[in-house]
Amino acid sequence: MNGGRTGARVDRTNGWPAALPWTWCATRLALLLLVFRVVSLPGADVTTDVSVIYRSWSEVLRQGTFPLHDVTWQYPPAAALAVLSPALLPFLGYAPAFFVLSCLADLVVFGLLAYAGRRPERSSRGAWIWVAGLPLLGPTAYARYDLMVTAVAVAALLAGTRHPRAMGALAAFGALLKVWPALLLVGATRLRAWLSAAVTAGGIAALFAVTMPGAFAFLAFQRDRGTEVESLGGLVLHVARRFGWPGEVVLNYGSAEFLGPYVGVVGKVAVALSAGAFCWLLLWRLRATRFEPHTLADAAFTAVLLFTVTSRVISPQYLVWLIGLAAVGGCFRGSRTGGPAVLVVAAAFVTLLEFPVGFVHVIVSDTYGVALLLLRNALLVAAALIAARALWRTTVPPSTAPPPRTPRTERASASP
């Protein structure tokens, strides 16, 4: 009798984990139906990035070189592994193999989160965030290689508290896939994690530099990117456009960007905001003294949020990263990122409405498109600010400086 009551209590505490795999299966079947075009959403076909762009890159990469003259190649050298990964399933075409591998990466993330949530002092809330949040992005979730990068990042954070060397190596490998996992180290307190990251990054980067020409050509392409239409700066230009600003939206550097007067100024402001986010993170790291098991995940989530909202580009697939990091935080009962996680999940659904469903409205800057961007970006900004505030309050001790001395207190202290 006691065993049965205890089991039921565990189920309630952990959010009925028996329902998790069934929910994952149902929602992922829906995603597969979308990317295989059995069911279609209104708007652009997001799978063409895989069937056309990724596939053309893979043909170049098979020749032992990076796409040196393609400005849309804006990724670190290890991204070649993700683009070439469909070769692991030679019995499928390129795009179907990519979608299947994306689903397998999704399954890996789910398994890691579900396992982590069953450990003492953990929660299955993180697995639920992943299971419920990712499908809200629609087919974009499986039609970009960001899900594979997120799987590496989730593994790194969950390994972080017990296996710092593994955490550092995975973070470095993730950074060589798509840069942003370098931010996972923001909350790392053990030197072994940093040393492992440095050795791994140096070794892999050197290997690519020696064996494949153009391994770091992406740096110039990334530097030259403009203000993308879905970013915060893009939102400013959308509003300006409605009041007569003469700029236009063009396909530039692989995404829809604004061209016209003052676009360069908006881009510089975005870079300045990113620099400000970096300074805040540096100040936090210098001041923080209270590090709990969940701090590593909370710091990574906050850092990626800050750099996402201040970037010149906020592509829909960036939400895959944020949902994954929010899910890792949700595995820890002590995490204070529950509110920001809800905001990120809500932003994922608004992102689906904006892209691909309503992207034509965004391109023409009509009321509906601007309203969607305003709501999505407001949710992300709010999530970033709330997460940053919570991280500071839970890790930085309050100031204990004595109150300023006044003439009255000085006379009192001088009297016998």
Side-chain angles (χ1 to χ4, degrees), residues 145-283:
Y145 85 92
D146 297 79
L147 207 157
M148 301 175 187
V149 184
T150 302
V152 176
V154 168
L157 286 178
L158 291 177
T161 54
R162 292 189 173 188
H163 307 286
R165 288 192 182 92
M167 186 265 178
L170 287 168
F173 178 60
L176 288 170
L177 281 168
K178 204 165 187 181
V179 180
W180 67 266
L183 294 170
L184 304 182
L185 293 166
V186 153
T189 58
R190 299 185 184 182
L191 182 60
R192 286 175 291 175
W194 289 89
L195 290 176
S196 177
V199 171
T200 302
I204 297 177
L207 179 63
F208 275 108
V210 170
T211 58
M212 294 182 68
F216 297 97
F218 79 97
L219 292 173
F221 300 153
Q222 189 65 242
R223 177 198 62 206
D224 295 336
R225 292 195 72 171
T227 299
E228 192 254 351
V229 295
E230 297 164 279
S231 64
L232 284 181
L235 182 59
V236 173
L237 295 173
H238 278 296
V239 175
R241 197 180 187 191
R242 293 180 62 81
F243 286 92
W245 176 70
E248 59 179 346
V249 175
V250 298
L251 186 62
N252 197 40
Y253 285 90
S255 63
E257 296 181 355
F258 277 111
L259 292 182
Y262 308 110
V263 172
V265 174
V266 172
K268 290 177 181 178
V269 171
V271 173
L273 289 174
S274 294
F278 175 80
C279 291
W280 183 89
L281 286 168
L282 180 61
L283 177 63

Side-chain angles (χ1 to χ4, degrees), residues 59-398:
E59 293 172 356
V60 176
L61 291 167
R62 286 195 193 100
Q63 299 172 14
T65 183
F66 286 91
L68 297 176
H69 305 293
D70 186 349
V71 296
T72 62
W73 176 263
Q74 299 166 11
Y75 309 109
L81 301 177
V83 174
L84 291 170
S85 63
L88 296 172
L89 303 177
F91 48 88
L92 294 175
Y94 184 90
F98 187 91
F99 301 144
V100 170
L101 290 172
S102 293
C103 186
L104 291 176
D106 181 3
L107 181 60
V108 168
V109 175
F110 169 67
L112 290 171
L113 293 169
Y115 177 77
R118 296 177 66 89
R119 294 173 57 184
E121 302 304 320
R122 299 288 182 89
S123 170
S124 64
R125 181 181 60 182
W128 278 114
I129 291 172
W130 179 254
V131 168
L134 188 70
L136 296 180
L137 280 173
T140 302
Y142 278 10
R144 304 291 186 273
Y145 85 92
D146 297 79
L147 207 157
M148 301 175 187
V149 184
T150 302
V152 176
V154 168
L157 286 178
L158 291 177
T161 54
R162 292 189 173 188
H163 307 286
R165 288 192 182 92
M167 186 265 178
L170 287 168
F173 178 60
L176 288 170
L177 281 168
K178 204 165 187 181
V179 180
W180 67 266
L183 294 170
L184 304 182
L185 293 166
V186 153
T189 58
R190 299 185 184 182
L191 182 60
R192 286 175 291 175
W194 289 89
L195 290 176
S196 177
V199 171
T200 302
I204 297 177
L207 179 63
F208 275 108
V210 170
T211 58
M212 294 182 68
F216 297 97
F218 79 97
L219 292 173
F221 300 153
Q222 189 65 242
R223 177 198 62 206
D224 295 336
R225 292 195 72 171
T227 299
E228 192 254 351
V229 295
E230 297 164 279
S231 64
L232 284 181
L235 182 59
V236 173
L237 295 173
H238 278 296
V239 175
R241 197 180 187 191
R242 293 180 62 81
F243 286 92
W245 176 70
E248 59 179 346
V249 175
V250 298
L251 186 62
N252 197 40
Y253 285 90
S255 63
E257 296 181 355
F258 277 111
L259 292 182
Y262 308 110
V263 172
V265 174
V266 172
K268 290 177 181 178
V269 171
V271 173
L273 289 174
S274 294
F278 175 80
C279 291
W280 183 89
L281 286 168
L282 180 61
L283 177 63
W284 166 77
R285 187 55 200 264
L286 293 173
R287 294 284 305 277
T289 59
R290 297 193 294 258
F291 287 84
E292 301 293 336
H294 58 82
T295 303
L296 183 67
D298 290 357
F301 179 51
T302 302
V304 175
L305 261 173
L306 288 171
F307 277 95
T308 296
V309 299
T310 59
S311 173
R312 291 173 295 174
V313 179
I314 306 181
S315 295
Q317 60 266 27
Y318 291 10
L319 274 293
V320 177
W321 320 341
L322 298 175
I323 293 169
L325 297 180
V328 176
C331 290
F332 297 89
R333 295 188 184 278
S335 175
R336 296 294 182 269
T337 60
V342 171
L343 294 174
V344 164
V345 169
F349 179 66
V350 180
T351 299
L352 173 64
L353 298 179
E354 172 259 311
F355 181 87
V357 176
F359 198 57
V360 65
H361 298 279
V362 174
I363 294 297
V364 300
S365 304
D366 68 15
T367 301
Y368 180 68
V370 173
L372 284 176
L373 279 182
L374 178 62
L375 177 57
R376 195 280 300 273
N377 290 348
L379 289 168
L380 292 180
V381 170
L385 295 176
I386 294 171
R389 181 174 181 267
L391 180 66
W392 186 279
R393 294 187 65 181
T394 56
T395 57
V396 177

